[in-house]
Amino acid sequence: MEIISQEKIQRFKNFIDSHKSFIIAGHKEPDGDCISSCMGLSFIIEKTGKPFVMINAGPFKRSEIRSFGSHFTSQLPFMTQTERDECGFIMTDCSEISRIGEIDGDLKGFDTFIIDHHKTASVQGDDNIIDPSAPAAACLVLQLFEALNGKPSPKQAEMIFLGIATDTGYFRFLTENSAQVFNQTASLVEAGANPKKIYQEITGGKPWNTRKLLGIMLERAERQCNGKLVTAFETMEDTKKFGQDGRDSDSFYSLMLAVEGVEAVLFVRQDTEYTCTLGLRSNTTCDVSKIAAKFGGGGHKNASGASCEGKIETILPLAVKEFAKFL
């Protein structure tokens, strides 16, 4: 992870200073890093005394973020043209407005600053902080917070720790070049974050139906590409029976990637009659962000996703063909 330059920090501060109000936005189907990054940015703006609103299309399905749903809205407040001109739009943990999802209101035309860590982020201009080597957007937000606000309170520290812990798989995904990340988390613990409590929030509280659905996914799991790829799918009937809240596909990825010889996992869910969501994970060398990009998505080298038109029976074999080029 790179240390944010003083020039970038100053540019972000200038962005804050030059606007009278703010909209903070993260991607749809938020995870802990998305919510943590948005909340961390809200702490920065809160100290300035300037008004802000946080928007997210949801749904807040994950148990560790469900309680934060009340802090967000999916409806853009009414603004005059002058108010829009004076409002800064800060997008974090994503870099494309399309990733924000269905929001009631026009998000185009705002002066925008982007803070992201995804490999597929492609942004023009200077009002951005994008570092694909950072394991979480919360790592970048913490640097900005410390530079502008100083030491976080215990509550703020726990919120930012949650984001870092989420996207690092509670530090399981970090490599030998991660000393700076551990330095950050150590500073958060010193500020009052409770690692045990946060781990329990991330791993506990799963609805019973998620365990039943996980059993179905395991039953459907198939090995492809000479055993290097595992695939599974979820139908609309599955979703109707077991519900959308608390879906725990992370457990499926973890179990399958632990199988000897498996290098990648592909999960396809039929969201509507005409659209699917893809989840892609890999262990080491397979860059799933390149595969996700083929279906209009993106993300990290070892964890990416996409939403596209189509049905499971057509999307799944097409995705397997793309995986075959890398495995």
Side-chain angles (χ1 to χ4, degrees), residues 92-129:
T92 185
D93 204 29
C94 64
S95 56
E96 304 87 14
I97 288 182
S98 60
R99 287 283 290 123
I100 294 176
E102 296 298 323
I103 297 294
D104 185 7
D106 184 10
L107 296 178
K108 297 178 181 178
F110 286 103
D111 193 13
T112 303
F113 201 102
I114 294 172
I115 301 169
D116 194 14
H117 71 125
H118 291 99
K119 185 177 180 181
T120 51
S122 177
V123 179
Q124 296 180 344
D126 295 321
D127 283 344
N128 65 79
I129 296 173

Side-chain angles (χ1 to χ4, degrees), residues 16 18 35 46 58 73 88 95 105-106 108-109 111 123 140 186 189 191 196 199 251 268 296 308 325:
I16 299 297
S18 62
I35 298 305
E46 194 172 39
T73 178
S95 56
D106 184 10
K108 297 178 181 178
D111 193 13
V123 179
L140 305 175
V189 173
K196 179 179 179 180
Y199 180 78
S251 292
V268 181
C308 63
K325 299 175 183 178

Side-chain angles (χ1 to χ4, degrees), residues 175-251:
T175 65
E176 66 276 8
N177 301 315
S178 304
Q180 183 60 33
V181 181
F182 282 105
N183 289 337
Q184 282 192 317
T185 53
S187 71
L188 293 172
V189 173
E190 288 178 351
N194 185 329
K196 179 179 179 180
K197 175 186 173 184
I198 295 170
Y199 180 78
Q200 291 172 335
E201 290 175 351
I202 293 174
T203 60
K206 308 299 183 185
W208 172 253
N209 279 354
T210 65
R211 308 299 94 177
K212 302 291 286 185
L213 183 58
L214 178 59
I216 291 176
M217 298 302 101
L218 293 172
E219 180 66 26
R220 288 180 183 158
E222 294 186 0
R223 299 185 73 167
Q224 315 263 14
C225 301
N226 295 320
K228 296 180 180 180
L229 172 68
V230 172
T231 65
F233 61 89
E234 177 184 330
T235 67
M236 292 176 64
E237 290 73 21
D238 296 328
T239 304
K240 182 178 180 180
K241 181 177 180 180
F242 296 104
Q244 297 185 25
D245 294 337
R247 184 181 287 108
D248 190 21
S249 53
D250 288 343
S251 292

